[in-house]
Amino acid sequence: MSKGGIGTFGAIALLVSSMTGPGLSTIPPLFQQSGWLAPMFVFVAIAILSAFSALFICEVLSSIKGNEKFQAKVEFTTVAQLILGKKYHYFFQLVLFLALQSVNVASIILAAQTIDSMLITLFKGTCGLGIAPGGWFCITERTVLGNSPFSADDYYIFTFGYLLTAVMVMPLGFFSLVENIMVQMTSFIVLCAVLLQWTVAFCQEGLDTSRLPAVGPDSTLVLGIVIFNYSYITTIPTLVNDLRPDVSIHKSLTISVIISTIMYIIIGVFGAMAYEMSPSSDILAILSTQGQTASLVTTYIFPICALVTSIPVFTIVIRQNLLRGNICGKPWAIFWANLLPWFICIPLQAKDYIGTIQNWSSLFFQSTVNFILPFILYFASRKYQASVVNEEKEKVPEQPTDVTMHYPEENRSISIRRSGRTSRLSRIEAASPRSPYNFRSPIAPKSPLGATPVIVLEDSVGPTSRIQVQNASSVPGSPNILKVPPENSPRPSTTTIGSPEGLGISTSRDHEETKQPERTSWISSHVSLKNKNNIHVPTSPVIQSSREDEKKDLSIVIEDEQEAETEHFLAFKPRRWLNPFYIAVVSSGLLGLSVVFMIIYDLAQLGMGNDIFA
């Protein structure tokens, strides 16, 4: 990392930290309960979909003029408000807040419980202030089953593990991502070492394949927990805003997703075969009681390198969205982002609710903001175009669709304006006044034919002339009018109006029958530049003389369009065999159907009396 922003290694470290939070410890029990087939398939599928979602949200951000290189630092909820409208602003702020804070709450609970176990191992005890029952309680050994050494039936104001977690995490939440990146890179290196030691410990314990069937008895939590683990997309806008210009987003994201997916599958498969686990247990509690000395050390390091460092990332994202979206001032933003999750965790410190929080928050909140909303924004961004308003140069009144972003730390604000997106053909017509695709009125002064004669039907025209050219000044409302007698008038034997070439009329027999333009759909007329059938260009000498200039204008406009399109970030480069739009449609459709199915399935199980919260 340099002083100018986050480098490639820093971006990979931060992304892996966002993907491997509290959900990592619940993966071995998940594999053991559901079998290896469903989790492996869902992990690979969600990993790919999460990468697509992250790339599309980057393209949406970069499509804003003035933010092509993410220089305007547009946040997630800001672009949602800009594209979908202000009435959805508070709704998406709320959903984003719940999604990110659910990750923080789960991380705080798991870190506090693991540190309490570490204190028992190192110092032969840990204490907590209880409220039900009240009093001061000290634990010298693990005598209860569960993730916490304290009884799950009791409620505590705080434990020593909870206090130590707060001391380590809270200060990091008040810095920016750039200031946190050294901690993230160190955490990534330590995390890789911890997971490597766990894999060795699993092999030393002995791998029993009977503990890991292909299909297990219960796959209810698979989709929810996997989505929870890949709920990093909401951090992408804040991350790319702080990246150095030379960092490849595609490369950083691809490497991060591959590393995290391999970590999940290895820990899940080897951990499930090494130990017998209950559905609500986690690998940290098992290693701290049944593991060897090295496993004990790495188990206690894990909350510091994975959980403690991931909490500040989500805290920073929440605070930045609240401040830049002008939801509240800095003091309240600090309360909602930095302090509120700690109050929520007070009654949950000794509970085994990690799996429940992960499953249900992911199905309702994580899936919405991380997988569904980015695709919606991508679809909507194809209809609208937005640009950063330079208030110093553009003295224009504020529009109802303008969105203002505030930067309290820099004491400034910017406005982003949304407008309807015109088709490429329309932009070519507007940019090229001589284009044959640019239709003009008969009296248009720039028409290459000048004032085009208008043919009218009039009874007063005598039978001595079939067509009579009348002076423009004699007929109001038109410069040139050709009057034609009605059909029942006698036809003269000869008709002379001078040279037909002077009127631009061809005498060739091939053009005696006028070719009628074929009707095409509105879509085809807007997405194609080759509208040969519904555009009839006369072949008069005047047009022939300017045809080369018109082609030059068209080529210049098309080159400018292509250059403007390549300036901003593209999720996928369009190819003959690859259409990014169809990728977004298929990805969002598959994920949406999966989430709806799991929600209906869980609610049906709950209605049948099955304890799906256990």
Side-chain angles (χ1 to χ4, degrees), residues 397-614:
E398 183 178 355
Q399 301 295 327
T401 57
D402 288 0
V403 175
T404 303
M405 283 187 60
H406 300 268
Y407 301 85
E409 66 278 5
E410 302 176 13
N411 194 25
R412 68 183 181 93
S413 62
I414 64 170
S415 296
I416 306 176
R417 176 157 300 170
R418 186 193 75 186
S419 59
R421 186 180 296 275
T422 57
S423 65
R424 173 177 290 186
L425 179 59
S426 300
R427 294 192 292 271
I428 290 177
E429 292 172 2
S432 179
R434 292 177 300 179
S435 170
Y437 301 101
N438 194 356
F439 300 102
R440 301 184 181 276
S441 62
I443 60 173
K446 295 183 180 180
S447 174
L449 294 179
T452 306
V454 180
I455 301 176
V456 298
L457 190 68
E458 188 172 286
D459 294 337
S460 59
V461 180
T464 58
S465 177
R466 177 60 179 162
I467 300 178
Q468 177 182 353
V469 179
Q470 189 163 332
N471 190 0
S473 60
S474 62
V475 180
S478 178
N480 275 325
I481 292 183
L482 301 182
K483 290 190 176 183
V484 183
E487 291 295 333
N488 55 4
S489 61
R491 296 180 179 269
S493 57
T494 58
T495 301
T496 303
I497 319 177
S499 175
E501 286 79 5
L503 295 175
I505 302 175
S506 175
T507 58
S508 174
R509 293 184 177 272
D510 296 337
H511 295 81
E512 288 181 356
E513 296 182 0
T514 304
K515 184 177 180 180
Q516 295 296 329
E518 299 180 6
R519 295 181 178 270
T520 59
S521 65
W522 180 88
I523 296 178
S524 63
S525 65
H526 281 72
V527 301
S528 174
L529 291 176
K530 297 180 179 181
N531 255 342
K532 297 180 180 180
N533 291 333
N534 63 336
I535 298 178
H536 180 65
V537 182
T539 57
S540 67
V542 180
I543 288 186
Q544 290 290 349
S545 64
S546 61
R547 186 65 59 86
E548 292 184 1
D549 292 336
E550 293 163 359
K551 289 182 179 179
K552 291 181 180 180
D553 288 339
L554 284 174
S555 62
I556 292 173
V557 173
I558 294 175
E559 288 177 1
D560 292 341
E561 289 284 319
Q562 293 175 346
E563 182 179 355
E565 288 181 357
T566 56
E567 284 181 357
H568 70 272
F569 176 87
L570 293 176
F572 300 94
K573 292 183 179 180
R575 305 179 187 275
R576 290 184 177 181
W577 52 271
L578 180 67
N579 191 324
F581 179 78
Y582 295 139
I583 294 178
V585 170
V586 174
S587 301
S588 59
L590 290 176
L591 187 67
L593 291 175
S594 301
V595 171
V596 171
F597 172 77
M598 288 306 301
I599 292 176
I600 295 175
Y601 177 80
D602 287 347
L603 293 178
Q605 291 292 322
L606 187 64
M608 295 169 60
N610 297 329
D611 188 9
I612 62 174
F613 296 101

